[in-house]
Amino acid sequence: MPRPIAVHVSIPAMQHNLAQIRTALAHQTSPLGRTSPKIWAVIKANAYGHGIEVAVQGFAQADGLALLDLNEAVRCRELGWHKPLMLLEGFFSAADLSLVDQYQMTTVVHCQEQLVVLESMIDQLQHPLNVMAKINTGMNRLGFAPEQFEAAFERLKQWQAQGYIAHLGKMTHFARADDDPSITYQQLQCFNQYTSHLAGMISVCNSAGTLTASLQQHLPSQFEQWVRPGICLYGASPFVAVAATELGLQPAQTLMAEIISVRDLGAHQGVGYGHSFISEQPMRLGVVACGYADGYPRHAPTGTPIWVEGKPSRLVGRVSMDMLMVDLTELPDAVVGSKVVLWGQGGPSVDEVALIAGTIGYELVCAVAPRVPRIVLEK
Ligand SMILES: *Cc1c(COP(=O)(O)O)cnc(C)c1O
């Protein structure tokens, strides 16, 4: 028998979250008399750990998919994804550009070096290319400097006029949409200042931006808009202070395991490596078949929420490679074989676990190990 651990991935939850985001966007834009933005569902990093195949199904109603691994992008096409497919980091070499062309992907162009590659190959492409030109408005990661953006954009527009480029848009990325709107407004101001006179669709919002209703009125209305939500589509919150359930989202990923051993413990007993937890009074402990080699965060401290048979309890002691211990003192019915949810449906949210473990839900959902059997829920 395999170890009693599994990760469930719910396609209906992904469908629900996408529909939820669409509804939220419609509510934001209709009072402004604008059409609702189109949605690139972000599926980078193997769809945040949920699997590319599952994402292509779960986000079938999205207007496009966005990711950054070329192999994963090719996989989407092979799985029958015919709508736009955007490479968030663009191409890394001339060879990549040939694949972008062959599979008719949309590429981000964010630096001079990419323009040089384009220059050398643009007249050899089989299809007109779709390009999103990226401007750095304060994230200071990818993107042309604001003062260099117009020249780069004009170069791309020349290629568009020559028929080498089909769609040409403008994008940027927020650094603090999850925690500081004032920085986001500064970034938007920069974006508008340097791009609003240049025609082309725009794409600026990640999950946090997409779920911040007040942003829409700061965006130019004359251009088609595409948003780029990621984490919220998987049912986790982009905001530390707002729970995913408050946003109407459902967890797409549930990490579950079983109790494989139960023991009674006297007072003043150390538990696990380093005896980081010492019992104050007699207690009952369960050993769960999940450890850091499965993707559970080793830094989760005693007290991290864990649910047993639908009831909340807590992690006790240090997380081992393949096991962790849970407090069963208040759960006398729990036995070997009882179901444990580490996060997701019927358990704590991945955001709660992440917060107490000093990380973010993004990292946890991405990090579930390949050795954990994956069960895809179609209903
Ligand atoms: C990851 C990413 C997104 C999605 O971010 P979330 O916070 O998961 O919504 C959007 N745009 C770019 C450029 C990204 O790298």
Side-chain angles (χ1 to χ4, degrees):
M1 202 179 113
R3 282 171 78 226
I5 182 169
V7 59
H8 285 190
V9 181
S10 165
I11 289 177
M14 293 161 84
Q15 292 167 333
H16 165 87
N17 295 331
L18 178 63
Q20 190 72 14
I21 295 304
R22 255 203 217 289
T23 306
L25 284 167
H27 284 311
Q28 290 175 18
T29 49
S30 73
L32 301 171
R34 300 185 185 179
T35 47
S36 208
K38 293 194 173 169
I39 301 177
W40 300 102
V42 178
I43 61 161
K44 62 193 182 192
N46 194 31
Y48 290 49
H50 294 64
I52 291 293
E53 288 77 7
V54 178
V56 166
Q57 275 181 272
F59 303 139
Q61 299 303 316
D63 303 294
L65 297 176
L67 73 183
L68 38 82
D69 183 278
L70 201 51
N71 292 325
E72 288 181 353
V74 169
R75 185 90 190 96
C76 290
R77 286 288 187 239
E78 288 170 352
L79 288 164
W81 183 264
H82 297 301
K83 289 187 262 187
L85 192 56
M86 174 163 64
L87 291 171
L88 290 164
E89 296 177 352
F91 50 89
F92 306 101
S93 67
D96 289 352
L97 189 52
S98 298
L99 281 176
V100 168
D101 181 33
Q102 182 185 340
Y103 290 94
Q104 298 190 57
M105 299 165 189
T106 299
T107 180
V108 167
V109 170
H110 57 80
C111 66
Q112 213 60 44
E113 291 79 356
Q114 288 179 323
L115 286 178
V116 171
V117 174
L118 274 180
E119 180 90 58
S120 70
M121 283 189 58
I122 196 89
D123 57 356
Q124 295 158 43
L125 301 179
Q126 305 294 308
H127 314 275
L129 194 62
N130 294 318
V131 173
M132 291 297 284
K134 187 165 192 179
I135 176 170
N136 170 28
T137 57
M139 175 72 174
N140 293 315
R141 194 173 64 178
L142 297 182
F144 291 96
E147 307 74 36
Q148 292 167 1
F149 184 77
E150 180 155 5
F153 198 80
E154 289 301 333
R155 187 75 195 94
L156 293 162
K157 253 172 56 182
Q158 283 168 6
W159 286 324
Q160 190 180 33
Q162 292 170 308
Y164 296 131
I165 287 180
H167 298 287
L168 175 58
K170 306 159 288 183
M171 73 182 270
T172 195
H173 193 51
F174 295 140
R176 302 193 62 178
D178 55 325
D179 74 335
D180 190 342
S182 72
I183 299 292
T184 304
Y185 290 130
Q186 278 175 29
Q187 285 197 252
L188 271 184
Q189 202 180 6
C190 174
F191 183 77
N192 289 336
Q193 182 184 340
Y194 286 93
T195 73
S196 60
H197 59 292
L198 305 169
M201 60 188 238
I202 60 170
S203 177
V204 299
C205 288
N206 54 4
S207 294
T210 301
L211 289 164
T212 303
S214 54
L215 282 194
Q216 284 299 325
Q217 64 212 45
H218 296 268
L219 287 168
S221 58
Q222 68 271 36
F223 307 122
E224 177 178 283
Q225 187 194 166
W226 287 63
V227 295
R228 306 187 307 271
I231 195 69
C232 62
L233 298 179
Y234 305 95
S237 175
F239 309 107
V240 172
V242 186
T245 47
E246 289 174 58
L247 299 167
L249 304 172
Q250 296 173 1
Q253 183 186 86
T254 300
L255 180 60
M256 49 178 50
E258 289 180 11
I259 290 178
I260 58 169
S261 175
V262 174
R263 80 174 58 254
D264 291 310
L265 203 66
H268 315 299
Q269 300 289 305
V271 175
Y273 288 121
H275 281 180
S276 73
F277 174 84
I278 308 232
S279 61
E280 280 175 16
Q281 54 218 5
M283 59 188 294
R284 193 161 171 263
L285 271 192
V287 180
V288 180
C290 177
Y292 61 79
D294 299 301
Y296 193 87
R298 202 187 76 93
H299 289 104
T302 289
T304 302
I306 292 181
W307 288 27
V308 181
E309 294 288 358
K311 299 200 180 79
S313 186
R314 59 175 186 143
L315 173 72
V316 168
R318 214 174 264 172
V319 175
S320 317
M321 184 183 287
D322 310 298
M323 288 172 272
L324 54 78
M325 271 72 99
V326 62
D327 188 350
L328 300 180
T329 311
E330 307 291 327
L331 304 173
D333 296 339
V335 291
V336 168
S338 289
K339 304 269 184 271
V340 174
V341 175
L342 289 315
W343 60 71
Q345 203 71 53
S349 74
V350 72
D351 298 314
E352 287 174 76
V353 176
L355 184 65
I356 192 164
T359 181
I360 51 176
Y362 296 74
E363 187 179 16
L364 298 188
V365 292
C366 285
V368 174
R371 79 174 189 181
V372 178
R374 168 191 302 271
I375 294 167
V376 177
L377 307 181
E378 311 267 349
K379 288 201 173 105

